[in-house]
């Protein structure tokens, strides 16, 4: 990328007004959203504001994506809320800032190691289950502030049940303020205000609360001090790193998956899609800066990115302007932020939670089969009942197991029938290896350790009738064989030798030949039974077939055949 093109990514005179407008919209909308993220994470809401401010600005300078907005997302906020060390900390919340820096470091390392492609191994069923669990947790987690009733229980599902059993204790003015907020958001968003309707609704309800004399409705200042100043740097605590490593891994995974979805779906102005690993670097840098400047862990936000693009963003300037707007909001209106009514913030988060639900994706996954249904259900259930930091890692483990299970069951062995002048015909392998014949076997699928038993079960059985036969195993396209798979080959070759027959390997890559040599399997099979692949498709197989037929023809016929 030349200097002129890079400069246009940050400032283009022709689109400057559009970027300023988009940045203003995103910045204003981010003020209540940042407070809501802090509330969702069960920490001082101002930390959410700080993370939004630092995230969008830092991300704008370091991500591969021009439009990506890096903020504290709802899913990440819920993971933070499941870390007692963070939620029970004093002010300033050093464990929170340390967690943000540690998460950023993990993201940065993932980007520098070019691990952007690894997220494609996470099955859609896992992500659908996780995202919908997060959405439901967002909704359930707001009922206390929305109703004014302090429920009790070990998790949000149990606390919701407790609320339903004590509906008579709901504080009606608080509930009315929350319901009014939702109605106003849905109504005002249909007007010219669009995304700003959310901001207007929040502040309008907070304004009429004192005018209506509803002094018992909780305000933001009742739960935390909201300063009118920008954050000063705070160093992370290295002593807390071992304790915070698991939640940091969970946060990094969620942030990187969310970022990868943006990298793969939103192109840069030049029409090219950003590099996922480059976006990992940008998110990591933003996380480190956010932690040092008293912010929460941050990651790529699809909703904020879409809002900026929809508002007219054309360059990185839009996110930079948004960060400046948030900073000015903190400096000029910090004290007023403390007057925001808590049920109004709860209503805002309920709207966000409902919009986070992906019911259509649930239906799609449900139609794909029982395995996908089970994976989605287990991930969803774990997200609701287990602390989210562990539920995320369970989802990752489930994804790995699902991948291994699927790949190991996709191995299929076919036999090739090749007649002169005819196209090769595939068919099912014979039940037994026929004597004095060449049997060509072609495996399809990944030949790794978990697939070896499936492959072995499909091989024709070697019997006493399999004498003077040759089995050719076609390995074209395979660049590496696992030790388990090679053990299967070695046992099969030994069984054939026991009946005076041979196993030949065709289309062997040089890397596989080196493996065979290092393990001693090459000498056990015999180098003359190994046919190396070349650029001519089918050439190695033809050589193997010719050698196999010559060897069979050289073997003496059975005594019974000679007498006949």
């Amino acid at each position: 990328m030349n200097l002129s093109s890079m400069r246009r990514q940050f400032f283009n005179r022709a689109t400057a007004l559009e970027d300023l407008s988009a940045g203003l919209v995103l910045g204003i909308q981010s003020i209540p959203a940042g407070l809501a993220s802090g509330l969702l994470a069960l920490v001082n809401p101002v930390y959410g504001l700080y993370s939004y401010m630092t995230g969008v600005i830092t991300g704008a300078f370091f991500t591969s994506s021009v439009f990506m907005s890096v903020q504290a997302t709802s899913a990440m906020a819920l993971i933070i809320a499941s870390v007692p060390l963070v939620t029970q900390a004093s002010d300033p919340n050093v464990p929170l800032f340390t967690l943000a820096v540690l998460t950023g470091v993990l993201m940065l390392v993932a980007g520098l190691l070019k691990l952007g492609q690894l997220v494609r191994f996470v099955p859609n069923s896992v992500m659908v289950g996780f995202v919908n669990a997060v959405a439901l947790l967002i909704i359930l987690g707001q009922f206390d502030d929305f109703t004014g009733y302090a429920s009790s229980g070990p998790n949000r599902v149990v606390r919701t049940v407790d609320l339903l059993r004590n509906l008579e204790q709901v504080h009606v003015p608080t509930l009315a303020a929350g319901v009014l907020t939702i109605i106003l958001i849905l109504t005002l968003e249909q007007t010219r205000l669009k995304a700003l309707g959310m901001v207007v609704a929040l502040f309008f309800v907070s304004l009429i609360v004192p005018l209506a004399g509803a002094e018992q409705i909780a305000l933001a200042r009742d739960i935390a001090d909201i300063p009118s100043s920008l954050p000063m740097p705070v160093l992370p605590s290295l002593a807390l790193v071992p304790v915070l490593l698991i939640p940091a891994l969970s946060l990094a995974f969620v942030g990187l998956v969310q970022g990868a979805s943006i990298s793969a779906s939103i192109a840069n102005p030049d029409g090219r899609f950003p590099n996922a690993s480059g976006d990992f670097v940008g998110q990591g840098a933003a996380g480190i800066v956010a932690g040092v400047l008293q912010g929460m862990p941050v990651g790529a936000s699809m909703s904020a990115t879409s809002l900026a693009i929809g508002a007219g963003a054309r360059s990185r300037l839009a996110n930079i302007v948004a960060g400046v707007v948030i900073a000015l909001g903190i400096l000029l209106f910090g004290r007023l932020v403390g007057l925001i009514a808590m049920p109004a913030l709860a209503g805002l988060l309920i709207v966000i939670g409902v919009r986070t639900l992906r019911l259509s994706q649930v239906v799609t996954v449900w139609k794909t089969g029982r395995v996908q249904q089970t994976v989605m259900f287990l991930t969803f259930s774990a997200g609701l009942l287990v602390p989210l930091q562990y539920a995320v890692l369970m989802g990752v483990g489930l994804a790995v197991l699902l991948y291994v299970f699927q790949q190991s069951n996709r191995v299929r062995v076919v036999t090739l029938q090749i007649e002169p002048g005819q196209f090769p015909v595939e068919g099912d392998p014979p039940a037994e290896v026929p004597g004095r014949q060449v049997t060509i076997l072609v495996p399809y699928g990944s030949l790794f350790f978990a697939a070896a038993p499936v492959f072995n079960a499909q091989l024709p059985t070697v019997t006493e009738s399999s004498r003077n036969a040759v089995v050719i195993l076609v390995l074209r396209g395979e660049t590496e064989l696992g030790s388990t798979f090679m053990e299967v080959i070695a046992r099969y070759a030994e069984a054939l030798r026991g009946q005076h027959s041979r196993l030949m390997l065709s289309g062997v890559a040089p890397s596989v030949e080196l493996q065979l040599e290092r393990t001693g399997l090459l000498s056990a099979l015999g180098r003359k039974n190994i046919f190396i692949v070349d650029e001519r498709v089918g050439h190695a197989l033809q050589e193997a077939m010719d050698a196999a037929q010559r060897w069979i023809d050289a073997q003496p016929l059975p005594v019974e055949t000679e007498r006949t």
Side-chain angles (χ1 to χ4, degrees):
M1 182 185 299
N2 57 47
L3 184 62
S4 176
S5 176
M6 183 177 297
R7 188 166 53 246
R8 283 197 301 271
Q9 285 194 3
F10 286 93
F11 179 78
N12 188 336
R13 185 175 300 175
T15 62
L17 288 178
E18 294 172 284
D19 285 319
L20 288 172
S21 175
L24 181 63
V25 171
L26 178 60
I28 293 175
Q29 190 270 348
S30 293
I31 292 175
L35 291 171
S37 289
L39 178 65
L40 196 60
L42 302 182
V43 299
N44 189 331
V46 76
Y47 297 148
L49 274 179
Y50 290 161
S51 63
Y52 270 53
M53 176 188 70
T54 54
V56 291
I57 293 178
T58 309
F61 283 96
F62 291 101
T63 55
S64 174
S65 171
V66 171
F67 300 117
M68 179 179 285
S69 293
V70 182
Q71 299 180 346
T73 67
S74 299
M76 298 178 76
L78 283 175
I79 295 175
I80 298 168
S82 67
V83 184
L85 182 64
V86 170
T87 58
Q88 298 171 10
S90 58
D91 197 16
N93 196 326
V94 176
L96 175 66
F97 312 147
T98 303
L99 180 60
V101 172
L102 182 57
T103 302
V105 169
L106 293 175
M107 290 180 168
L108 182 63
V109 170
L112 294 176
L113 294 178
K114 308 295 183 183
L115 300 182
Q117 297 300 317
L118 291 183
V119 294
R120 63 191 177 93
F121 291 103
V122 181
N124 186 52
S125 54
V126 169
M127 288 312 303
V128 171
F130 175 74
V131 168
N132 282 281
V134 166
L136 189 56
L137 286 174
I138 293 174
I139 298 170
L140 299 182
Q142 307 319 306
F143 285 169
D144 284 11
D145 290 324
F146 193 74
T147 64
Y149 171 72
S151 60
S152 60
N155 57 58
R156 301 188 185 205
V157 175
V158 177
R159 290 198 290 270
T160 301
V161 174
D162 179 53
L163 169 64
L164 295 175
R165 296 174 59 183
N166 295 276
L167 291 177
E168 71 281 357
Q169 298 188 42
V170 168
H171 187 241
V172 176
T174 297
L175 179 62
V179 172
L180 178 60
T181 303
I182 294 176
I183 294 174
L184 285 175
I185 290 174
L186 299 179
T187 303
L188 294 176
E189 285 184 338
Q190 303 304 314
T191 67
R192 292 183 178 180
L193 290 173
K194 297 187 182 300
L196 291 180
M198 186 178 291
V199 181
V200 174
L202 187 68
F203 284 99
F204 177 79
V205 172
S206 299
L207 178 64
I208 66 172
V209 164
L211 296 178
E215 292 83 2
Q216 293 181 331
I217 293 180
L219 304 179
R221 68 184 181 188
D222 296 333
I223 63 170
D225 179 41
I226 310 295
S228 297
S229 60
L230 296 180
M232 296 299 294
V234 175
L235 293 178
S237 171
L238 295 179
L240 296 176
V241 169
V243 183
L244 296 174
L245 186 57
I246 290 180
L249 285 169
S250 301
L251 287 163
F253 172 76
V254 170
L256 296 179
V257 169
Q258 291 176 328
S261 66
I262 296 175
S263 306
S265 59
I266 298 178
N268 284 333
D270 60 4
R272 299 179 181 178
F273 284 93
N275 178 268
S277 296
D279 284 336
F280 284 9
V281 171
Q283 293 176 78
I288 295 171
V289 174
V292 171
L293 293 178
Q294 301 186 41
M296 296 163 46
V298 295
S301 171
M302 176 62 83
S303 59
T305 304
S306 301
L307 175 61
I309 295 173
R314 295 295 179 268
S315 73
R316 297 178 186 268
L317 179 63
N319 278 313
I320 297 173
V321 170
V324 173
V325 169
I326 298 171
L328 291 175
I330 295 172
L331 288 172
L332 300 178
F333 307 108
R335 295 301 178 187
L336 295 178
V337 167
L339 298 176
I340 293 178
M342 294 302 293
L345 268 176
L348 168 65
L349 281 168
I350 288 175
V351 172
I352 292 174
V354 171
R355 290 175 176 173
T356 305
L357 288 169
R358 298 290 183 265
L359 298 182
S360 60
Q361 295 181 5
V362 171
V363 174
T364 301
V365 172
W366 196 261
K367 292 179 179 179
T368 57
R370 186 169 298 175
V371 172
Q372 303 294 331
Q373 293 171 3
T374 302
V375 170
M376 179 178 66
F377 176 76
L378 290 176
T379 305
F380 177 78
S381 301
L384 292 181
L385 303 175
V386 179
L388 212 56
Q389 55 175 313
Y390 301 113
V392 172
L393 298 182
M394 288 174 61
V396 175
L398 195 60
V400 173
L401 290 176
L402 175 63
Y403 177 77
V404 171
F405 175 79
Q406 289 178 326
Q407 292 301 313
S408 64
N409 284 280
R410 286 177 178 169
V411 175
R412 177 171 174 252
V413 178
V414 301
T415 184
L416 283 185
Q417 299 290 339
I418 302 178
E419 300 293 340
Q422 302 292 324
F423 289 109
V425 178
E426 289 186 349
D428 294 329
E432 300 178 356
V433 176
R436 301 194 66 86
Q437 290 188 28
V438 178
T439 302
I440 305 171
L441 300 178
V442 182
Y444 289 111
S446 180
L447 302 180
F448 68 119
F449 68 94
V454 180
F455 166 78
N456 185 56
Q458 298 181 55
L459 294 176
T461 304
V462 180
T463 67
E464 293 183 357
S465 301
S466 304
R467 295 187 63 79
N468 299 331
V470 176
V471 175
I472 300 176
L473 185 60
V474 180
L475 296 179
R476 186 180 182 90
E478 301 294 337
T479 57
E480 184 177 358
L481 301 179
S483 59
T484 306
F485 185 78
M486 285 195 286
E487 286 182 7
V488 172
I489 293 178
R491 289 197 300 268
Y492 199 62
E494 182 63 28
L496 287 169
R497 278 197 299 271
Q499 298 299 327
H500 197 260
S501 295
R502 286 190 176 186
L503 175 66
M504 295 182 175
L505 304 183
S506 164
V508 176
S511 57
V512 173
E513 181 187 23
L514 184 60
Q515 280 187 301
L516 297 175
E517 185 172 6
R518 287 176 174 175
T519 58
L521 187 55
L522 183 64
S523 59
L525 294 175
R527 187 173 292 274
K528 61 184 178 181
N529 294 318
I530 307 298
F531 299 86
I532 306 301
V533 70
D534 59 29
E535 67 277 3
R536 294 167 292 181
V537 179
H539 180 253
L541 176 58
Q542 187 61 56
E543 286 188 324
M545 291 170 57
D546 293 342
Q549 194 59 55
R550 287 196 300 270
W551 182 82
I552 291 175
D553 292 341
Q555 305 310 306
L557 294 172
V559 177
E560 293 80 358
T561 303
E562 291 177 352
R563 288 176 180 175
T564 301

